[in-house]
Amino acid sequence: MKLWDKGYALDRELEAFTTADDPLLDRELVRWDCAASIAHARMLARCGILSEDEAEKLAGELRAIAADAQAGNFTIEFEDEDCHTAIEKRLVGRLGDLGKKVHTARSRNDQVIAALRLWAKDALHTLFAATLDLAASLRQFAETHRDLPMVGRTHTQVAMPSSVGLWAGAWCESLLDDLRILRTAYEVNDQCPLGSAASYGVPLAIDREFTSQVLGFARLQNNVLYANNSRGKIEAVILGACAQIAIDLSRMAQDLINFSLPEFGYFRIPEELCTGSSIMPQKRNPCGLELVRARASAIIACHDQILGIIKALPSGYNRDFQETKRPFLHGLKTTIACVRVMKLTVEKLEVNEARILDAFTPEVFATDEALRLVAEGVPFRDAYRQVAASLDKLQAADPRQAIANRTQPGGPANLRLEVADEAIVGFGEFLQSERDAFQQTINALLGR
Amino acid sequence: MKLWDKGYALDRELEAFTTADDPLLDRELVRWDCAASIAHARMLARCGILSEDEAEKLAGELRAIAADAQAGNFTIEFEDEDCHTAIEKRLVGRLGDLGKKVHTARSRNDQVIAALRLWAKDALHTLFAATLDLAASLRQFAETHRDLPMVGRTHTQVAMPSSVGLWAGAWCESLLDDLRILRTAYEVNDQCPLGSAASYGVPLAIDREFTSQVLGFARLQNNVLYANNSRGKIEAVILGACAQIAIDLSRMAQDLINFSLPEFGYFRIPEELCTGSSIMPQKRNPCGLELVRARASAIIACHDQILGIIKALPSGYNRDFQETKRPFLHGLKTTIACVRVMKLTVEKLEVNEARILDAFTPEVFATDEALRLVAEGVPFRDAYRQVAASLDKLQAADPRQAIANRTQPGGPANLRLEVADEAIVGFGEFLQSERDAFQQTINALLGR
Amino acid sequence: MKLWDKGYALDRELEAFTTADDPLLDRELVRWDCAASIAHARMLARCGILSEDEAEKLAGELRAIAADAQAGNFTIEFEDEDCHTAIEKRLVGRLGDLGKKVHTARSRNDQVIAALRLWAKDALHTLFAATLDLAASLRQFAETHRDLPMVGRTHTQVAMPSSVGLWAGAWCESLLDDLRILRTAYEVNDQCPLGSAASYGVPLAIDREFTSQVLGFARLQNNVLYANNSRGKIEAVILGACAQIAIDLSRMAQDLINFSLPEFGYFRIPEELCTGSSIMPQKRNPCGLELVRARASAIIACHDQILGIIKALPSGYNRDFQETKRPFLHGLKTTIACVRVMKLTVEKLEVNEARILDAFTPEVFATDEALRLVAEGVPFRDAYRQVAASLDKLQAADPRQAIANRTQPGGPANLRLEVADEAIVGFGEFLQSERDAFQQTINALLGR
Amino acid sequence: MKLWDKGYALDRELEAFTTADDPLLDRELVRWDCAASIAHARMLARCGILSEDEAEKLAGELRAIAADAQAGNFTIEFEDEDCHTAIEKRLVGRLGDLGKKVHTARSRNDQVIAALRLWAKDALHTLFAATLDLAASLRQFAETHRDLPMVGRTHTQVAMPSSVGLWAGAWCESLLDDLRILRTAYEVNDQCPLGSAASYGVPLAIDREFTSQVLGFARLQNNVLYANNSRGKIEAVILGACAQIAIDLSRMAQDLINFSLPEFGYFRIPEELCTGSSIMPQKRNPCGLELVRARASAIIACHDQILGIIKALPSGYNRDFQETKRPFLHGLKTTIACVRVMKLTVEKLEVNEARILDAFTPEVFATDEALRLVAEGVPFRDAYRQVAASLDKLQAADPRQAIANRTQPGGPANLRLEVADEAIVGFGEFLQSERDAFQQTINALLGR
């Protein structure tokens, strides 16, 4: 029986259409919905709407449901529509009339938003940690290969002397900017919607601040209509940050695919990270990297789907919001998986120093030659044309010397990895403090 | 053991990342892969690479697998990666060395493309039929309410006299144009990739035309590299056509949501197509229509994901293609479901004639008044300004008379539903002929 | 003075916001709006709403406007909002009251749609011709290098023996499938919306079929509401076809960027198609190809913008449609420019046979070796593992011999370019017949 | 003559293709490029690469160019490709060899990034201010109509008692969250790329920190390759924040379009913000709001175009980046225009209290009735079903009383506008401090 059952039967085809794969998707939300319901019940007790004893009984059963779900023993039937109905059904089944009281002063949408926010906090801790790990791996890779010259490229073609350290440091810093964006997305998510009911609050004196604090949110999402309007919006903000990470990964993946081609041979992706072909015995394909590249488009599509859904949607809850759940869960989980695979790859990447150095053909040094003429007093534009006119006379120079000359801040000879270090430490502290507090709060609620 | 097993173990995390949810998605492809493999085996026999007896043994086992899959008795393990490996494993398990021969002169990607093309043919028959049904329902609705005046709107606001028939006829004709686009997508899909192997053919004298004919494809996809390059591309072409349908549905849904608001009351969506609220007892929400609206964005996102993946991808197979499977299957199936729900809605829609007629306020007739002045010899632009200056003196007129005057082709009084009829008949014949031929071919292969 | 002027002043900021860059964009539409207005005036005369003499006077002045526009002597002021107002203003200025009559029985949106359809027909002829030219160039390139072996790649890495001819033939066939889609988009566009007025027709006995024929449309767009609902939709259909072409070009561009890297050296893009760097004297950058690659994303974005705008838009004209004009014009013109640059590139591409042949390392032949074992009776899967286990013993073979063995239809030794030829001829005939008829019709109207 | 001229002529078609509309777009960048070049010249002097006198001469001429550009007297010819070439050409024309020296130790891409960052800082100040103004207008509107009940809606349909204040407050708070995101985007943009040259730095001891400080950037973008990799990325981050604002505006616009329909009549958009129809004399169309709605899709498309371009792009400068300029400028400027039009609309919106109150039908109070039963001891789910079963007996209640009961934080009777106030003040201080400092810096450089 659905929460909104009023005695008439829904057309079966429509029921399938509206339920869609919520029973499947909601498996991940059970735990978070239970936590939110415990907080809600406690608040109802605090406000005298439930007795303390009732709240405790509800909390006890909700804890049991969360534990069952963790153990794989809580199923959401198609007829239940979603986890919220399944949970309320179990509460009513076990606790009778008391179970029917838990929905006082809230709406299902209220619950969905709260559960998604909690799920997201948890998932964002994981993504934050994974991205920080990857940034640290790149920083380490940059440190290790700080002095190894590598041809720098523009337009994919050879450009100027660069280094392996510069390459890795660039992606490290890019990810650190992503973390800055991700942190803001995290903060926007970290507000409690509960008590907003079906968008307009309820005519009951409930204590929304209390619920928010019990669940460990940084703040209450104030306006109850905004709490509902922000469904989809905050998911999109988070996926927007994920898209930035995913784009960075796709570009790193493209670099590594190129640099490990036999024609380059700079890097080698170890066997255990390569898959084979069903027909070509010799193949060792960089499938992980190709999927990282492709999944950037999946994550962008998840983001765009949500924006497409919420654009021009009227205020207040609309069923359209349901359709944002799948891309949100899928997009965020995919980003985590991509980051982890990239970290694995960076850590296991084999560097072929000889091939890297072999690539330093004379043309790599053309700009250096022009600047040498500038040092002799030739205006830059004239020096440029002079070198361009006699490219065939260019000499290869010592790659190590060439990068040693690039001493400006952030240049190959002056990577200033300490800039990244400072950010890594800062983000690490932020993450640890947030994650610890959150886990303690949730464990306290769910009784672990 | 994977098809490409060479004796080393893949990193477990990478394995999970590359396998993703293929085992789940591929459930739908087993039947089609079996059909394609039977055709491939027969071709190998025809070319003397297998004996006729070997081909028949393979076909027998493949038929059994297809039947098991239909009955839910064929499972694809995570370790199998996908249905193709699972099927080859079963063939080897049951037929020994013979099972190992079926992969001669093809690649797994070859198989994937072929299975997806066959799956798509089948799904497109379903979508084509459902869309044609919806067009026919709208045409019927237009016929039934041909003479019922309804306020025509621009900018959502009241504009001019129109009719319920015009409204329904408009969406009917829009869907018929969509079917034109869908038919082209169908035809582009209807080419056989088999024998293209890993993109470059094989050094064996195989008969690709034969395989194509046995599977009932309209033509062989000629260039073997193009066969592989077109993965993703053809999926995107199909989803592009789906997106057109989905956009039409989203707009129809928006109209129906508006027109069934209490403030309008033109239409009423019957109870069995409405869901309720968990908190508000009075609600009867048009959830089906809202989800049709939202899922248009899902379908567009599926399309865009594929375009994003294949943009700038180098020639030949890339693992990125795997990531196009999920949006393709999901997007096409979602379109079918949306079309069906819309047909259900149109057929059950209740029309409130009184409310529809009540909406004819005087301002609806402003343009008619201006044109009446034109008939008296006033230049249009002057008549326009004259009416604009005395809007408060406008009189309401008889809505039925107002639409009776709109006799130009395609106008409210001259819907010319025969234009749609002709297209409906034409598409119906096309569909029936295609579907019958395909089902006979597949049944012959799979032995039903 | 605006067409809809009623004596009050619009807020200046809002006016700038709603007018946007229409005066600029509409420069291209003047000619087409004049042609449509001539046809409309003739129809009004035929129906007795104007006299023949009036229609001829209007036609004369409209022809003069079109000629002025061609010569750059017709300007659209910001105050005019768009070309339609500017043209009506000129008609009134020159012809007095007669000028005010031309808008009888139509709306501005009616005009916009008609002008865009005509503009699109013309632009699609150009795109069709350019794409056909490119397909023919690729077919010629394939013919010229039919027997030149090139390493075939999967996952960007070396895979199997292939040929330059196969590569070029693949993209040729891909474009021919695009043309199939483009032709359908063309046909969907080729219907006349005129007489639909503001979405609901007019209470006048006008002859819409006549207008449609005079303008050379293939058919009348029947339902007058559909005529308006289809704004944006048909633009998106056309840009969907453009996106397919653009994606193909982006992939071809990626191939050429890769193959012309110094590490590959298969192709060389001649100097006159390369730009330089402002700082690096040696650079010859494949900027045209990079921009072709990037502009695929621009074209997709134009397509998506339109889908995003029309999704869930209510029936009847909405101002939102205005915002589809810019991406439509920009997307279609960008596609034409990309196709032309790619044709230029293909035609001038220099082929380095020696570097192409040098790339045939032993591993390219691994599959051939496995299939040799199959020919000796080893089951394929065993042969595969046998070769995989002794990759270091693989021998390089003769590339020309290797591709000579690939004789299956569509394989390197059997390109069957006649398949492409047939399509090229068919599309060429279609194009010529359509273009000739259209130009005659328009010239007759505009008096050239 | 182009910066990279080496004595050969570029194909004219390719030249047009690569130059595209840069000469037009770059008009806005001249001022910022001049400022950046002055800073660069001063840094070169500081490092002894130029003399102080040379730097001052360059600065003087650059100031003159900026002034000319401001006055509309500096044109960028098609042959110049972009503003950077045009400026260097003028420097050389006026200063001879000295002009040729300014490009020492930088690349054109370096310049483009720097100019775009400065342009963006300025535009973001404008957007920030406009959004803050709109938030303040909404806050004021909420205050003014704090006690005016309005039917709250879910699924567009009537749901529960709400208020005009709650509606306005919701969008105010939503925009304040957007500003949080925008501020992060601003901070990510606020780093100086100069001195990164063509991605790999230069073999000269330049002082990048100095240039960064002279230009008033918050920090130096450290890694020189990251500085180049981040082109497109940071633009996308900014447009991602714009998209959030645009989505909010599109939803507000949709609400206002609905609420000002004659069927609702809650609000009236004043005449000066409405456009008319060319054919229907009575029309007053909410065109500004419809374009705000449509342009949300334009802004999203700009964002997606950039993501599509940079996805999987190799490290280092690629010409693809050029194609991100147009959507970046267009998307950001469009967002500003939309915010301003929305502010105009909110400020001039006329509220029809009588119509708003008339809309309170009995069903609006169904939930209140259920909760009344809960207060009497009925479990919520039972009360819900009881009310659902006797909807026809529901009584209308006093709307003002109904919202007075909603006293929970953020509910209709307890909007807590001080939450918004605090944020508005904080953002205002941030903006003022940033803008003042920036304008002083730029004025100092450009000598105003």
Side-chain angles (χ1 to χ4, degrees), chain B residues 154-155 263 277 283 290 384, chain D residues 154-155 277 283 290 384:
Chain B
T154 61
H155 307 268
E263 287 78 2
S277 154
K283 294 298 304 253
E290 290 175 289
Y384 170 96
Chain D
T154 61
H155 307 266
S277 154
K283 293 299 304 257
E290 290 176 288
Y384 170 96

Side-chain angles (χ1 to χ4, degrees), chain C residues 218-236:
Chain C
R219 56 183 170 123
L220 173 66
Q221 190 166 20
N222 181 54
N223 186 297
V224 292
L225 176 54
Y226 175 44
N228 279 268
N229 285 351
S230 67
R231 189 163 171 202
K233 172 196 179 87
I234 292 181
E235 285 90 328

Side-chain angles (χ1 to χ4, degrees), chain D residues 360-375:
Chain D
F360 276 81
T361 52
E363 63 171 329
V364 182
F365 302 97
T367 309
D368 287 29
E369 175 62 14
L371 289 166
R372 201 190 52 77
L373 294 173
V374 166

Side-chain angles (χ1 to χ4, degrees), chain C residues 115-129:
Chain C
L116 285 170
R117 296 265 166 93
L118 292 169
W119 178 88
K121 274 191 83 164
D122 189 53
L124 286 172
H125 292 148
T126 306
L127 176 57
F128 214 95

Side-chain angles (χ1 to χ4, degrees), chain C residues 33-311:
Chain C
D33 191 53
C34 289
S37 287
I38 292 170
H40 181 67
R42 289 209 180 137
M43 184 277 289
L44 290 178
R46 180 182 167 93
C47 300
I49 298 170
L50 294 181
S51 70
E52 286 294 341
D53 183 56
E54 287 176 321
E56 257 333 289
K57 279 195 186 127
L58 284 167
E61 189 58 31
L62 287 161
R63 259 184 227 115
I65 294 171
D68 286 355
Q70 202 86 339
N73 297 326
F74 183 79
T75 55
I76 306 166
E77 306 293 340
F78 170 74
E79 286 72 26
D80 294 336
E81 286 192 311
D82 55 26
C83 71
H84 315 290
T85 305
I87 292 170
E88 187 170 325
K89 197 169 69 171
R90 157 105 168 238
L91 290 176
V92 174
R94 299 273 172 98
L95 305 177
D97 273 7
L98 174 56
K100 297 181 187 169
K101 291 185 181 174
V102 72
H103 207 64
T104 312
R106 74 177 186 193
S107 79
R108 182 163 48 166
N109 182 43
D110 220 12
Q111 284 183 267
V112 177
I113 303 177
L116 285 170
R117 296 265 166 93
L118 292 169
W119 178 88
K121 274 191 83 164
D122 189 53
L124 286 172
H125 292 148
T126 306
L127 176 57
F128 214 95
T131 308
L132 207 45
D133 279 356
L134 174 56
S137 296
L138 284 162
R139 185 242 171 270
Q140 189 51 46
F141 195 86
E143 170 86 44
T144 306
H145 304 287
R146 181 194 282 268
D147 301 322
L148 178 56
M150 178 167 72
V151 169
R153 292 169 180 277
T154 62
H155 308 266
T156 324
Q157 300 200 327
V158 300
M160 285 200 219
S162 176
S163 70
V164 173
L166 189 76
W167 176 83
W171 291 120
C172 173
E173 293 189 17
S174 196
L175 288 169
L176 291 170
D177 269 351
D178 294 337
L179 282 176
R180 192 188 271 253
I181 297 158
L182 191 66
R183 186 174 56 192
T184 299
Y186 176 88
E187 287 165 356
V188 170
N189 179 68
D190 198 7
Q191 44 187 330
C192 185
L194 278 170
S196 65
S199 303
Y200 302 101
V202 283
L204 291 169
I206 56 174
D207 188 344
R208 299 182 65 220
E209 289 282 9
F210 177 80
T211 323
S212 176
Q213 281 159 25
V214 168
L215 285 166
F217 279 104
R219 56 183 170 123
L220 173 66
Q221 190 166 20
N222 181 54
N223 186 297
V224 292
L225 176 54
Y226 175 44
N228 279 268
N229 285 351
S230 67
R231 189 163 171 202
K233 172 196 179 87
I234 292 181
E235 285 90 328
V237 171
I238 292 170
L239 290 183
C242 289
Q244 288 298 332
I245 295 172
I247 291 278
D248 275 357
L249 298 182
S250 78
R251 301 183 63 189
M252 244 181 282
Q254 184 62 57
D255 279 347
L256 293 176
I257 289 168
N258 286 349
F259 294 159
S260 61
L261 285 176
E263 287 79 3
F264 288 74
Y266 299 175
F267 299 136
R268 186 173 174 279
I269 301 160
E271 204 161 68
E272 68 265 32
L273 298 182
C274 288
T275 57
S277 153
S278 70
I279 177 169
M280 293 174 282
Q282 87 282 13
K283 294 297 304 249
R284 283 199 13 228
N285 298 317
C287 285
L289 294 171
E290 290 175 289
L291 286 171
V292 164
R293 181 172 65 183
R295 285 178 189 161
S297 295
I299 293 158
I300 294 170
C302 289
H303 176 252
D304 287 350
Q305 176 174 337
I306 295 179
L307 291 188
I309 288 170
I310 62 175
K311 185 219 148 192

